[in-house]
Amino acid sequence: MASVKANPVFAPPLGRGRKRSGVSTRQNGVAFLFLAPWVCGILVLTLGPILASLYLSLTNYDLFTAPVWAGLANYQRLFFEDARYYQALKVTFTYVALSVPLKLAFALGVALVLNRGLSGLGFYRSVYYLPSLLGGSVAIAIMWRQLFAYDGIVNEFLLQFGIDGPSWISNPVYALYTLVTLSIWQFGSPMVIFLAGLKQIPQELYDAAAVDGAGPWRKFLNVTLPLLTPIIFFNFVMQLINSFQAFTPSFIISNGTGGPADSTLFYTLYLYEQGFTNFQMGYASAMAWVLVAIIGTTTGLAFMSARYWVHYGDESR
Amino acid sequence: MTATLPAGSPGRRIILRPRRILMHLALCAGAFLMIYPLLWLFSSSLKPSNLIFADPGLWPSKLRLENYPDGWRGAALPFSVFFTNSFIVSTLAVIGNALSCSMVAYAFARLDFAFKRTLFALMLMTIMLPLHATLIPQYILFQKIGWVNTFLPIVVPKFLAVDAFFIFLMVQFIRSIPRDLDEAARIDGAGPIRIYWSIILPLLTPALVTTAVFSFLWTYEDFLTPLVYLSSMDLYTVPQGLRLFMASTGVSAWGPMLAMSVLSLVPLFIVFFVFQRRLIDGIASSGLKG
């Protein structure tokens, strides 16, 4: 498993136990010259805005007149008075809960098949990866809208089996699932990461398992799956963070409204609407803070759960 | 079941076992399913608008190439404007990211300075921070200094190394460059700036290319940032141009709109075909999102 740890993603923290060869004095001056752009960026574009966002979330601010202190009124409105906000939460959590596991399942499944030493690996890998590269494009969202239109190609296909499909995009029952499907279609990038992880598993382990009389299913359960847990975990966290922030497809497919009947009102879409359409910057800042808290909590929970299911091979427990 | 051999293992023979053929058939079917929407998009862009839905086949029964010139003329402004804007913004983003992130990565990987570990941890944490946490205050800031409705809010952050992913990628890469090279240069009297410029930067080329490719793709595809910052149409990027097209034309203009959708994907396809390996290796080794 040492080889998986050599993967940059899982590299040990910087500088631990490394000998400083020859340099005894700290190079603070030169170093901060190199760091200058990043330091400016993090102060002005990251840390400053985060604090500003926290302050603004406690005010009413319309961008044109000075912010008016409001205390926790924005948060109170979010949690107790805004039914659309709950709808946005529901839509977003449904999307995350469906798209993340399904996407990872497809990514892992295809990666396992592609890892079987078949010829044409490069070709398949590229073809399966391509959609995740194009995925965020407006053009792809427009295309998806047409595929799932009432007279679109999906219904055309269903008609071959005598099924009269609904108008997916304009039916509140189904609209969100078309977006889930779009997300699953883009399983290529976690798949590529899985493939890289599978390559790191030493052949000896499979040989040893074979000597012990393990069949393919046992090999998968006892060798592949445990050794792959760090990669599964990494993909899971990345997809989780990304899925909570989904925006473009829902904006394009619903024409910026989150419709039909708010069925695709993603969190980010509602935040955009409140901030940049209604100019309720304070309210939108409160939403942004809750989003940070949600993403922080879910990734935190993921990290805590990792103790129980993520195995690093050379670790004894 | 012999097929559990991983790729590259000695058991890789071209033997046509039925199981293998079945697997290839399944993979091809899957690949076709993945590509089908794109083929449909392309074929529909060549059809007259009234046939796009009536004629589901991939081979257009009636060609209408005029969709492309018609679409190019756009809804309010021609697409040449949107493409030019997109290329300006994306090119500047590539330069900004390559330059600023490599400088910062060099400092983290090779120089010693106060609070290094804390700052590195801070840098890693910003990778996870959702864009929306800073979007509104950033907008207010840029609005106050009069940058809204210019390219500056989109481009300047790239020169300030905000995409920490690339810093991380380059730090990992620089750590794999032997330190002996730096030492030799230092003995020859080179300072950190010389070492960065004439040793690290040339050797960093593969990581720089990966950074450049992803910077281009993400900036070119980005919809939210231009949507927030650009209000006059002559500054719109391609994604906004498409959205404008979609909002302002009726059902009759499907053909031209799909034609422009196809054209908007062409730069992405070119980058994909030229840098395929680099893209996939970049994803595999650093977990960059795709």
Side-chain angles (χ1 to χ4, degrees):
Chain A
M1 200 50 197
S3 46
V4 169
K5 286 207 131 184
N7 187 317
V9 171
F10 302 98
L14 191 77
R16 180 172 286 165
R18 197 176 60 216
K19 287 188 202 80
R20 308 249 175 255
S21 43
V23 193
S24 54
T25 50
R26 298 201 143 182
Q27 304 149 308
N28 281 332
V30 184
F32 279 99
L33 188 75
F34 279 101
L35 289 171
W38 176 74
V39 170
C40 289
I42 205 153
L43 289 178
V44 178
L45 297 173
T46 309
L47 293 180
I50 289 178
L51 294 175
S53 163
L54 185 60
Y55 165 71
L56 285 171
S57 76
L58 303 169
T59 68
N60 286 324
Y61 184 45
D62 63 3
L63 199 65
F64 308 108
T65 51
V68 179
W69 183 260
L72 293 173
N74 283 327
Y75 293 96
Q76 191 183 350
R77 192 177 138 203
L78 272 185
F79 292 124
F80 302 109
E81 292 152 32
D82 191 346
R84 284 192 86 202
Y85 179 69
Y86 275 97
Q87 174 65 16
L89 280 178
K90 197 181 116 192
V91 166
T92 309
F93 274 98
T94 311
Y95 176 78
V96 171
L98 288 176
S99 70
V100 174
L102 286 171
K103 199 169 171 170
L104 291 187
F106 270 98
L108 181 57
V110 176
L112 285 169
V113 175
L114 287 184
N115 196 44
R116 291 183 158 188
L118 292 168
S119 50
L121 169 73
F123 167 76
Y124 290 126
R125 197 176 51 176
S126 296
V127 169
Y128 284 98
Y129 171 66
L130 182 64
S132 68
L133 187 80
L134 308 174
S137 314
V138 166
I140 295 297
I142 290 177
M143 174 189 90
W144 217 254
R145 218 170 104 126
Q146 302 321 311
L147 291 178
F148 285 91
Y150 180 63
D151 42 7
I153 203 75
V154 172
N155 280 347
E156 205 66 52
F157 176 77
L158 289 177
L159 214 55
Q160 312 284 314
F161 302 93
I163 302 166
D164 188 15
S167 173
W168 306 95
I169 295 294
S170 50
N171 186 328
V173 178
Y174 304 110
L176 181 58
Y177 301 108
T178 63
L179 290 164
V180 172
T181 321
L182 174 56
S183 165
I184 297 168
W185 184 58
Q186 297 155 24
F187 67 77
S189 99
M191 178 201 77
V192 167
I193 300 175
F194 277 133
L195 269 172
L198 287 169
K199 281 222 181 74
Q200 306 272 345
I201 299 176
Q203 180 59 30
E204 299 93 79
L205 292 175
Y206 289 107
D207 297 342
V211 170
D212 290 345
W217 182 239
R218 285 207 70 88
K219 280 182 188 166
F220 173 71
L221 278 185
N222 295 342
V223 180
T224 314
L225 208 53
L227 290 186
L228 214 53
T229 47
I231 311 246
I232 296 175
F233 177 66
F234 175 81
N235 272 335
F236 177 69
V237 169
M238 291 327 273
Q239 292 303 327
L240 203 61
I241 294 173
N242 286 339
S243 299
F244 272 116
Q245 301 179 61
F247 177 79
T248 307
S250 64
F251 189 97
I252 294 300
I253 287 177
S254 75
N255 235 329
T257 63
D262 284 346
S263 61
T264 62
L265 185 68
F266 276 63
Y267 199 107
T268 53
L269 198 59
Y270 192 41
L271 193 156
Y272 172 84
E273 187 187 304
Q274 289 295 354
F276 297 97
T277 313
N278 302 340
F279 293 107
Q280 303 210 7
M281 293 283 178
Y283 195 54
S285 296
M287 286 186 65
W289 260 88
V290 178
L291 181 64
V292 173
I294 291 173
I295 294 180
T297 311
T298 37
T299 36
L301 286 174
F303 270 95
M304 275 160 66
S305 79
R307 288 185 52 202
Y308 302 101
W309 63 273
V310 177
H311 304 286
Y312 293 98
D314 47 3
E315 226 171 76
S316 51
R317 61 178 69 241
Chain B
M1 185 104 165
T2 50
T4 36
L5 294 168
S9 66
R12 193 173 163 179
R13 286 155 296 182
I14 311 288
I15 294 173
L16 293 180
R17 297 199 185 86
R19 196 180 280 280
R20 271 192 178 219
I21 295 169
L22 267 177
M23 214 167 271
H24 273 295
L25 281 177
L27 281 172
C28 280
F32 182 71
L33 207 65
M34 295 295 283
I35 292 300
Y36 186 84
L38 298 171
L39 294 175
W40 176 86
L41 179 66
F42 180 63
S43 106
S44 298
S45 76
L46 299 170
K47 291 175 188 172
S49 292
N50 62 335
L51 279 185
I52 288 172
F53 292 115
D55 166 23
L58 278 185
W59 197 255
S61 58
K62 209 169 131 206
L63 273 181
R64 188 176 181 280
L65 298 171
E66 294 83 5
N67 284 341
Y68 281 81
D70 284 356
W72 187 261
R73 277 191 282 278
L77 287 172
F79 265 81
S80 51
V81 174
F82 307 138
F83 273 102
T84 311
N85 291 336
S86 273
F87 281 111
I88 293 173
V89 170
S90 311
T91 309
L92 289 173
V94 167
I95 297 170
N97 270 334
L99 206 66
S100 65
C101 294
S102 67
M103 283 169 65
V104 178
Y106 172 69
F108 275 125
R110 284 297 205 254
L111 301 178
D112 192 18
F113 52 89
F115 306 116
K116 180 168 165 173
R117 293 177 58 98
T118 317
L119 291 177
F120 191 72
L122 186 68
M123 192 269 293
L124 288 184
M125 270 165 65
T126 59
I127 294 178
M128 295 217 179
L129 194 75
L131 165 78
H132 304 85
T134 53
L135 183 68
I136 284 165
Q138 270 186 23
Y139 178 82
I140 295 168
L141 171 76
F142 288 132
Q143 200 255 352
K144 293 267 185 250
I145 57 176
W147 283 9
V148 164
N149 209 21
T150 70
F151 292 149
L152 292 171
I154 306 172
V155 168
V156 170
K158 314 287 182 195
F159 282 86
L160 300 178
V162 287
D163 289 326
F165 246 129
F166 297 128
I167 304 179
F168 180 65
L169 178 90
M170 290 191 211
V171 167
Q172 300 295 347
F173 194 90
I174 295 175
R175 284 153 117 200
S176 73
I177 299 173
R179 279 182 165 255
D180 306 356
L181 291 170
D182 304 32
E183 298 296 331
R186 189 172 299 127
I187 289 163
D188 288 347
I193 298 175
R194 268 291 294 283
I195 294 176
Y196 162 74
W197 188 256
S198 31
I199 305 217
I200 299 294
L201 219 47
L203 290 172
L204 195 61
T205 308
L208 286 173
V209 174
T210 305
T211 299
V213 168
F214 279 103
S215 296
F216 178 84
L217 293 173
W218 294 347
T219 314
Y220 180 84
E221 279 191 343
D222 187 19
F223 176 62
L224 178 60
T225 323
L227 180 71
V228 165
Y229 288 111
L230 304 177
S231 51
S232 43
M233 269 189 263
D234 54 342
L235 293 179
Y236 275 13
T237 55
V238 170
Q240 280 176 296
L242 280 179
R243 148 113 176 108
L244 190 70
F245 208 126
M246 199 180 80
S248 64
T249 51
V251 188
S252 58
W254 283 128
M257 188 176 79
L258 295 182
M260 287 308 102
S261 299
V262 170
L263 275 196
S264 82
L265 295 175
V266 167
L268 302 174
F269 274 108
I270 293 175
V271 171
F272 177 73
F273 285 115
V274 175
F275 295 104
Q276 237 179 73
R277 274 216 75 85
R278 178 84 56 216
L279 280 163
I280 286 172
D281 290 347
I283 294 275
S285 64
S286 67
L288 289 167
K289 60 177 191 272

